Amino acid sequence: MRREKALGEKGCPVSGDGALALLRREGRIVIVGASLAGLRAAETLRKEGFTGSLTLIGDEPHEPYDRPPLSKQVLLGHATADRTALPRRLALDAHWRLGVAATGLDMAARRVRLADGDEVEYDRLLIATGVHARPWPHETEADLDGVFVLRTRDDAARLQRRLAASPRRVLVIGAGFTGSEIASACRERGLPVTVAERGAAPLVGALGGVIGRAAADLQREHGVDLRCGIMVTALEGDPAGRLRRAHLSDGTTIDTDIAVVSLGATRNTEWLAGSGLGAGPRGIACDAGCRAFDVRGIVTDDVFVAGDVARSPHALFGYQFLSLEHWGNAVAQAETAAHNMINSSSERRPHLWMPAFWSAQFGVNIKSVGVPSLGEEVIVAQGSLSDRRFTCVYGYQGRVIAAVTFDQTKWLEFYQRQIESAAPFPPDYPSVDRRPEGLRPVPAEFPDPSLPTHGPSVTVSGYSPTDQRITFVPAHA
């Protein structure tokens, strides 16, 4: 078992400018999570002058790759899964530990335990373990040939091969962003597809009922057999273990040989159980400088967090702790964390990236800034819902909190400035293309948070890093 002495055990200073210089020159930095956030953090460390030992640990056998193309270009057959590698900004001179998962953390000894029995010591640790797809909750049914999830490169390759074989029907369980993009790819390939969503409409958990109804109309216009307010109660296989039928909560059945389970994501924090770190189902709590909290709510100075697994406060949104499953957030937070790991407190900077996301489905580009799920009301500020070309603005406590566009990207920069300046809601300026439906605000119609729908892009929690007011709901379809 490999054990290396941590920086402070060498007889070297452990505080002050001397220790910081030694850290930058000879320290050991370990990054758990070899995906987008981990790669960008490693590149930032090298760019900013870190010349010590750098180790990246990842449970997948592949070097970092881009995930957004998996549910788009890869499923459409326009790109292969093995051609999604992330571009390198510079040479890393790093030790890669791929295909081996982290299984534990000893904060006192500064060691990360690995599944192969090894231990890796660190002077600074960055956790960027992201999320994994929530599986079908019934194990024997999940093992049926034809039941898929979509999160990894290998997932996408397997699913693409089955779609290319022209299945008789595809069932998508869950109409969040990933589920909706999968349904879109199926229809573009000319495949019959049924979408089962327990919520009132697609995307309702992330964007609310007003846009959700527009998304439902969009799917049906493109030939999707969309079933809302419906749960899949069982998946049935034949004697050979192949999926053949799905049973729904309304008593109906669907004959299908492919079911894609799109029930949202679970943050990869299980390996931190008992470590003393402030980690749980909602992610790892950290301060604005990406330093992790321990279970007592005390900030650590040698453990940092970045990407989908992080839960950090944001000044623009009432210092609520946000977990953001966004590509741009992962990059920005990783760069901030890496900078802060090797700089003094006076040179550290906060992570205040504006939440933003995008999705392409059924021929429409959907983009957003801010946190729509915080919105109490929404107004159609430009365009028309019925035309599938509009800008919706969300309000929270009398201020603009978010904006979502369907094929109207040009407005996002303007509304980002409105969010940053806490502009009043509803917007008090006229719009030349606002239709009658956008003359007044209406309730945003987000579902009860204790009854989550599939695939939220933002999870909002309380102010305390040790907040445990969580309602656990069984993971049914």
Side-chain angles (χ1 to χ4, degrees):
M1 181 169 16
R2 180 169 63 90
R3 293 190 179 182
E4 299 168 336
K5 287 181 178 291
L7 191 64
E9 295 175 346
K10 297 177 179 178
C12 300
V14 294
S15 62
D17 293 340
L20 184 60
L22 185 60
L23 170 69
R24 294 173 67 94
R25 188 174 64 250
E26 300 180 21
R28 294 176 174 87
I29 292 183
V30 173
I31 299 174
V32 182
S35 191
L36 173 65
L39 175 62
R40 295 300 181 237
E43 291 172 335
T44 300
L45 287 167
R46 291 304 192 204
K47 181 180 178 182
E48 296 202 9
F50 176 70
T51 59
S53 168
L54 182 58
T55 301
L56 287 91
I57 299 167
D59 58 356
E60 292 187 60
H62 314 296
E63 292 196 6
Y65 58 87
D66 206 12
R67 296 188 190 276
L70 300 182
S71 59
K72 303 175 182 70
Q73 291 94 328
V74 172
L75 290 193
L76 289 170
H78 297 163
T80 58
D82 60 358
R83 298 298 296 273
T84 58
L86 286 164
R88 300 290 182 86
R89 296 174 176 173
L90 46 81
L92 283 182
D93 184 24
H95 185 203
W96 293 84
R97 302 292 301 270
L98 299 177
V100 56
T103 58
L105 172 63
D106 186 335
M107 292 176 62
R110 293 184 176 180
R111 294 193 185 108
V112 176
R113 294 190 293 273
L114 304 183
D116 62 4
D118 204 353
E119 293 184 349
V120 182
E121 296 193 359
Y122 63 85
D123 299 300
R124 294 285 188 272
L125 171 67
L126 176 65
I127 300 174
T129 46
V131 302
H132 63 270
R134 184 174 287 115
W136 185 246
H138 309 291
E139 188 173 349
T140 56
E141 297 175 7
D143 289 338
L144 291 171
D145 179 21
V147 178
F148 295 85
V149 295
L150 179 58
R151 174 65 187 175
T152 70
R153 196 180 97 174
D154 293 339
D155 292 337
R158 286 191 293 265
L159 180 55
Q160 192 278 332
R161 286 194 295 268
R162 293 296 289 270
L163 296 181
S166 299
R168 53 180 174 161
R169 177 166 292 275
V170 178
L171 170 64
V172 180
I173 307 174
F177 283 106
T178 300
S180 296
E181 289 174 1
I182 293 168
S184 176
C186 289
R187 291 305 300 139
E188 192 167 339
R189 298 190 74 134
L191 300 174
V193 59
T194 296
V195 174
E197 165 59 47
R198 65 185 172 191
L203 311 180
V204 68
L207 303 181
V210 174
I211 291 184
R213 285 189 290 275
D217 291 342
L218 181 65
Q219 291 202 16
R220 292 186 172 113
E221 288 167 5
H222 283 79
V224 175
D225 174 23
L226 176 63
R227 316 239 186 137
C228 295
I230 293 294
M231 296 168 60
V232 175
T233 57
L235 297 174
E236 178 186 339
D238 64 15
R242 295 172 299 213
L243 176 67
R244 284 294 175 260
R245 188 170 294 109
H247 296 261
L248 307 184
S249 58
D250 62 358
T252 62
T253 60
I254 296 173
D255 291 332
T256 183
D257 42 13
I258 291 182
V260 187
V261 180
S262 186
L263 301 178
T266 301
R267 286 165 178 82
N268 290 319
T269 58
E270 298 92 342
W271 66 284
L272 295 167
S275 68
L277 207 60
R282 294 188 177 190
I284 304 170
C286 64
D287 68 3
C290 306
R291 297 180 299 173
F293 288 104
D294 67 17
V295 292
R296 301 167 296 171
I298 298 175
V299 70
T300 63
D301 205 44
D302 55 2
V303 180
F304 292 72
V305 195
D308 296 357
V309 75
R311 187 163 66 95
S312 59
H314 202 302
L316 284 177
F317 305 101
Y319 295 95
Q320 291 271 19
F321 277 74
L322 305 181
S323 298
L324 304 169
E325 295 174 31
H326 300 167
W327 196 96
N329 178 73
V331 172
Q333 194 167 33
E335 291 173 347
T336 298
H339 171 85
N340 292 345
M341 292 173 85
I342 58 172
N343 279 282
S344 64
S345 58
S346 62
E347 297 174 315
R348 289 176 177 171
R349 60 184 186 230
H351 172 61
L352 294 176
W353 183 77
M354 172 64 69
F357 71 84
W358 69 277
S359 174
Q361 49 188 268
F362 304 102
V364 173
N365 287 317
I366 303 172
K367 295 191 176 183
S368 168
V369 291
V371 183
S373 57
L374 277 176
E376 301 166 325
E377 294 182 302
V378 64
I379 190 170
V380 181
Q382 279 82 29
S384 170
L385 296 173
S386 59
D387 292 342
R388 315 288 179 259
R389 184 179 177 84
F390 57 83
T391 300
C392 279
V393 181
Y394 294 76
Y396 175 70
Q397 296 183 352
R399 56 163 289 199
V400 174
I401 200 76
V404 175
T405 64
F406 275 43
D407 281 345
Q408 281 198 339
T409 305
K410 65 181 181 180
W411 285 103
L412 285 182
E413 183 178 351
F414 171 78
Y415 283 111
Q416 178 170 332
R417 293 197 299 268
Q418 298 293 295
I419 296 166
E420 292 170 344
S421 63
F425 180 89
D428 56 359
Y429 45 84
S431 172
V432 295
D433 62 346
R434 185 188 298 176
R435 308 296 175 83
E437 61 189 333
L439 294 179
R440 66 182 186 279
V442 297
E445 299 181 35
F446 284 99
D448 183 339
S450 67
L451 298 171
T453 58
H454 304 124
S457 58
V458 182
T459 298
V460 184
S461 58
Y463 295 85
S464 169
T466 56
D467 175 40
Q468 297 182 0
R469 295 171 294 166
I470 301 173
T471 302
F472 290 93
V473 179
H476 298 308

